[in-house]
Amino acid sequence: MIPKIIQGGSFSDHRGSISFVNDFSFKDIERFYIISNSDENPIRAWQGHKLDAKNFYCLSGSFKIHYVKIDDWENPSKDLTIETVWVSDLDSKVVHIPGGYANAIEALETNSKLISFSTLPLTKVSDDDVRYPSDYWEVNGK
């Protein structure tokens, strides 16, 4: 499986507005959490997941979601191609990153919030989660 964008939309009238992603299914979702990076450390990197799929939706502000396909979990190549998707509260979409990838979340604005829906139960996360140093792959020359 490869990463994909599930595009949604929005509707506004005199009552307010609604943002939606009707094509996103919660069928395999086990848990969720909300990410809010600090201004001092706007990049949260690198978390790899062998099996757990991540689904990101921007609640407020904007983020860049960076990801790499892991070639070797014990010693991944430093030359892996970094893919990047921009998300914003102005564009209703879910970024789906399947297992087999590592990701980095970069907040672009103060007080940005991102919700992450995960497919693996919390009891199995410790066997699946692989962390790499935040500078293992360089994002935007940082």
Side-chain angles (χ1 to χ4, degrees), residues 28-33 48-55 99 117-129:
D28 296 321
I29 302 303
E30 290 283 336
R31 58 197 168 84
F32 76 92
Y33 49 96
H49 305 282
K50 297 174 186 175
L51 302 173
D52 193 9
K54 298 294 182 185
N55 298 279
F117 299 100
S118 298
T119 60
L120 202 62
L122 194 56
T123 56
K124 296 185 179 179
V125 169
S126 63
D127 296 332
D128 183 68
D129 194 39

Side-chain angles (χ1 to χ4, degrees), residues 13-122:
D13 65 13
H14 67 280
R15 299 168 293 176
S17 64
I18 297 172
S19 295
F20 54 87
V21 184
N22 290 338
D23 292 330
F24 177 66
S25 172
F26 284 87
K27 179 181 169 224
D28 296 321
I29 302 303
E30 290 283 336
R31 58 197 168 84
F32 76 92
Y33 49 96
I34 297 172
I35 300 167
S36 182
N37 294 354
S38 69
D39 289 338
E40 296 78 27
N41 297 295
I43 299 177
R44 182 182 301 262
W46 286 92
Q47 298 83 36
H49 305 282
K50 297 174 186 175
L51 302 173
D52 193 9
K54 298 294 182 185
N55 298 279
F56 298 108
Y57 182 86
C58 185
L59 296 171
S60 63
S62 60
F63 289 84
K64 285 184 182 175
I65 300 172
H66 310 281
Y67 55 91
V68 294
K69 173 74 170 145
I70 300 298
D71 59 350
D72 177 349
W73 289 101
E74 299 300 320
N75 188 27
S77 170
K78 295 240 185 188
D79 295 326
L80 297 177
T81 301
I82 299 172
E83 301 289 339
T84 301
V85 176
W86 176 81
V87 297
S88 164
D89 58 0
L90 302 176
D91 183 20
S92 187
K93 65 184 169 193
V94 171
V95 177
H96 171 79
I97 302 176
Y101 288 78
N103 66 69
I105 307 303
E106 181 180 2
L108 301 176
E109 302 172 45
T110 298
N111 297 321
S112 293
K113 292 189 186 307
L114 188 73
I115 191 166
S116 175
F117 299 100
S118 298
T119 60
L120 202 62
L122 194 56

